[in-house]
């Protein structure tokens, strides 16, 4: 199937079109922040809907959690479908391609099929997942969670920093905001051939090897937690250093310990991405510190050992410093090895378009690791420029690589029989 070379340019333009929408406080600085169900998020959903309609999908809709779903029918109505897509929310001050590329490439593929009036023996369902990053609410993968039947009912009453509950945010966005409605969008795996996801690599490997594409072998396991240390606030001038119960210093020591522990393993990582002294003052010893922990490893047992060592040592640090340590796990995702059959299809597809077949694992989390719980999945990575930097506005791809990824996706379709 021939893809016009301009397809990569289209994908770059569509990415810019989506990136016009960002949240107040960020948009003024030219920064991209799109978190769950904010006006910018709803604007991106509307753009995706329009892009799918323009591309010639047979059905385009927005579901109960804000996923934008496009269906391109197969040549028979009862044919099973290939499920694909990625997320359209972003981290704060993120890049333009993380997630979105995996929605835009299959849109380009369907556009090409539709323009040729070509029907395949199976349908294609493209999902723009509304939430993957866990930013506004501590409900990471809530969109894929709804599709896989693992949407946590307690999420609906969770509140954002402005005190708005998720159910309220949904209703304001015109969604039902009820568990009953969310439960109806759970997918029946029998109706699908499998799930494939295209994603920017978000790491330095493909860029370093000068390879445009990589076939993913497995996605690393992860755990996220919110943590709190509670000490005793006191006068910064009068309290001797030996008498302090400084909550922030305990958190700082825990952060450094987590770094050291992760460095002991091949492939483990631990990050404190947020740390605050709520209501702190320049002349007050911190009485409380809140921070996050994100811990990942290539396998579940390695991740579990990492997490249990870090939590045990955090308690020991807190005890020594006479502060309390509270730990609340907010996300746990298992490692997701690619389905061998789907991985092989990606490998053949990459080879068919004349590119070297290179395999790598994913340090980042993806919607695919959630879809993995109900159906076979495999991912294709696209090279990021700037040494693969991501979760950063420096994230970049080339139009040429977007074209190659689209061609690989089309070649994948030919591998399905
Ligand atoms: C998603 O971007 C992640 O945190 O891996
Ligand atoms: Mn991301
Ligand atoms: Mn992503």
């Amino acid at each position: 199937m021939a893809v016009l070379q301009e397809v990569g340019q289209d994908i770059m333009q569509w990415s810019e079109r989506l990136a016009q929408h960002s949240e107040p406080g960020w948009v003024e600085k030219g920064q991209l922040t799109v978190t769950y169900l904010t006006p910018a998020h709803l604007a991106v959903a509307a753009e995706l809907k329009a892009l799918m309609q323009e591309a010639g999908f047979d059905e385009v809709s927005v579901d109960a959690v804000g996923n934008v779903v496009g269906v391109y029918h197969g040549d028979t109505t009862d044919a099973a479908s290939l499920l694909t897509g990625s997320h359209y929310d972003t981290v704060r001050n993120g890049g333009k391609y993380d997630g979105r590329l995996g929605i835009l490439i299959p849109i380009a593929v369907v556009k090409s099929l539709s323009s040729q009036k070509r029907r395949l023996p199976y349908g294609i369902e493209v999902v723009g997942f509304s939430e993957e990053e866990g930013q506004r609410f501590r409900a990471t993968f809530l969109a894929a969670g709804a599709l896989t039947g693992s949407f946590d009912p307690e999420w609906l009453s969770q509140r954002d920093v402005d005190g708005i509950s998720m159910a309220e945010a949904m209703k304001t966005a015109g969604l039902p905001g009820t568990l009953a409605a969310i439960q109806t969008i759970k997918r029946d795996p029998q109706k699908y051939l499998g799930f494939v996801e295209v994603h920017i690599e978000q790491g330095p490997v493909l860029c370093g090897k000068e390879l445009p594409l990589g076939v993913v072998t497995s996605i690393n396991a992860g755990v996220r937690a919110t943590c709190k240390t509670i000490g005793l606030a006191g006068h910064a001038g009068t309290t001797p250093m030996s008498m302090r119960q400084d909550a922030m210093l305990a958190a700082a020591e825990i952060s450094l310990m987590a770094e050291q522990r992760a460095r002991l393993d091949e492939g483990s990582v631990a990050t404190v991405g947020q740390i605050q002294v709520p209501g702190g003052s320049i002349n007050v010893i911190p009485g409380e510190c809140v921070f996050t922990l994100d811990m990942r490893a290539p396998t579940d047992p390695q991740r579990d050992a990492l997490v249990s060592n870090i939590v045990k040592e955090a308690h020991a640090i807190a005890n020594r410093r006479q502060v309390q340590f509270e730990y609340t796990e907010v996300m746990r995702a298992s490692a997701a090895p690619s389905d061998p059959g789907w991985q092989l299809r990606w490998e053949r597809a990459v080879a068919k378009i004349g590119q070297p077949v290179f395999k790598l694992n994913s340090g980042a989390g993806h919607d695919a690791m959630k879809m993995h719980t109900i159906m076979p999945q495999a991912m294709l990575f696209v090279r990021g420029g700037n040494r693969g930097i991501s979760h950063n506005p420096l994230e970049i791809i080339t139009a040429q690589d977007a074209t190659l990824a689209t061609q690989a996706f089309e070649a994948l379709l030919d591998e399905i029989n």
Side-chain angles (χ1 to χ4, degrees):
M1 191 189 305
V3 171
L4 296 173
Q5 285 300 313
E6 303 90 70
V7 72
Q9 293 296 348
D10 283 351
I11 288 164
M12 300 306 275
Q13 274 172 19
W14 295 345
S15 301
E16 294 303 319
R17 186 166 152 186
L18 301 187
Q20 285 169 11
H21 308 285
S22 183
E23 296 178 13
W26 306 90
V27 69
E28 300 82 358
K29 295 182 270 185
Q31 296 174 346
L32 183 66
T33 298
V34 178
T35 65
Y36 190 52
L37 297 184
T38 57
H41 186 269
L42 298 176
V44 176
E47 296 277 14
L48 285 172
K49 221 176 139 186
L51 281 172
M52 286 180 180
Q53 281 160 344
E54 288 159 24
F57 281 78
D58 298 299
E59 298 167 39
V60 181
S61 59
V62 176
D63 72 17
V65 294
N67 294 324
V68 184
V69 183
V71 177
Y72 187 69
H73 294 155
D75 58 9
T76 59
T77 47
D78 56 352
S81 291
L82 173 66
L83 192 59
T84 185
S86 190
H87 61 101
Y88 66 90
D89 65 326
T90 73
V91 293
R92 299 185 180 88
N93 195 16
K96 293 173 192 162
Y97 308 98
D98 174 6
R100 289 140 181 231
L101 185 63
I103 312 169
L104 298 178
I105 284 176
I107 289 178
V109 169
V110 167
K111 188 176 175 189
S112 164
L113 290 170
S114 161
S115 69
Q116 300 167 63
K117 303 209 178 330
R118 183 170 170 210
R119 295 285 170 182
L120 300 169
Y122 50 88
I124 301 180
E125 186 174 324
V126 181
V127 180
F129 290 84
S130 57
E131 204 285 341
E132 187 263 7
E133 299 282 12
Q135 305 288 301
R136 180 173 178 186
F137 298 98
R138 301 265 181 234
T140 311
F141 298 123
L142 79 86
L147 299 193
T148 54
S150 53
F151 184 95
D152 181 348
E154 288 184 9
W155 285 340
L156 283 172
S157 48
Q158 211 187 89
R159 293 186 183 275
D160 69 4
V161 286
D162 298 319
I164 300 167
S165 74
M166 187 185 293
E168 286 161 5
M170 286 176 166
K171 286 179 182 146
T172 305
L175 305 176
T178 63
L179 189 60
I182 292 165
Q183 284 170 338
T184 64
I185 66 170
K186 180 179 181 308
R187 294 301 192 271
D188 174 2
Q190 301 303 323
K191 296 190 173 152
Y192 295 95
L193 302 169
F195 179 78
V196 294
E197 180 174 356
V198 179
H199 205 285
I200 184 169
E201 182 206 338
Q202 305 186 274
V205 179
L206 296 175
C207 187
K209 293 195 174 292
E210 298 185 6
L211 293 172
L213 302 173
V215 178
V216 177
T217 53
S218 182
I219 307 170
N220 283 2
V223 158
R224 290 183 186 181
T226 54
C227 306
K228 189 191 269 189
T229 43
I230 305 164
L232 188 64
H235 199 292
T238 60
T239 315
M241 294 309 284
S242 61
M243 290 176 68
R244 297 183 179 211
Q245 291 164 264
D246 186 323
M248 196 286 297
L249 287 182
E253 192 174 339
I254 291 167
S255 309
L256 291 170
M257 171 274 294
E259 180 198 25
Q260 278 162 10
R261 171 60 187 82
R263 289 176 80 132
L264 295 179
D265 290 342
E266 179 75 35
S268 288
V269 288
T271 306
V272 174
Q274 291 176 310
I275 185 161
Q276 283 142 11
V277 177
S281 293
I282 194 166
N283 56 350
V284 178
I285 299 162
E288 193 177 294
C289 184
V290 290
F291 60 102
T292 56
L293 268 171
D294 178 306
M295 298 162 281
R296 312 190 195 198
T299 64
D300 290 1
Q302 185 175 327
R303 185 264 329 259
D304 292 344
L306 174 77
V307 172
S308 78
N309 289 172
I310 288 175
V311 172
K312 187 167 171 238
E313 194 51 35
H315 280 290
I317 291 168
N319 280 342
R320 185 163 34 77
R321 288 181 167 272
Q322 293 185 289
V323 306
Q324 277 172 257
F325 173 64
E326 292 177 1
Y327 174 89
T328 310
E329 194 173 290
V330 293
M331 195 278 289
R332 173 170 285 258
S334 294
S338 302
D339 174 76
W342 282 102
Q343 183 185 317
L344 189 62
R345 287 188 186 103
W346 275 127
E347 290 171 25
R348 289 196 179 132
V350 170
K352 195 171 160 194
I353 64 162
Q355 293 300 317
V357 176
F358 178 77
K359 295 180 257 182
L360 73 173
N361 88 320
S362 172
H366 297 290
D367 296 297
M369 71 198 297
K370 210 67 196 165
M371 300 313 296
H372 179 87
T373 60
I374 63 162
M375 64 180 78
Q377 62 77 29
M379 295 185 68
L380 179 75
F381 274 171
V382 182
R383 158 172 60 190
N386 285 331
R387 286 179 288 142
I389 193 162
S390 182
H391 283 183
N392 184 310
L394 291 174
E395 180 185 273
I396 187 75
I397 61 162
T398 64
Q400 215 171 9
D401 287 358
T403 299
L404 288 173
T406 310
Q407 289 175 333
F409 201 110
E410 293 202 326
L412 178 91
L413 298 183
D414 293 335
E415 293 295 324
I416 302 169
N417 35 46

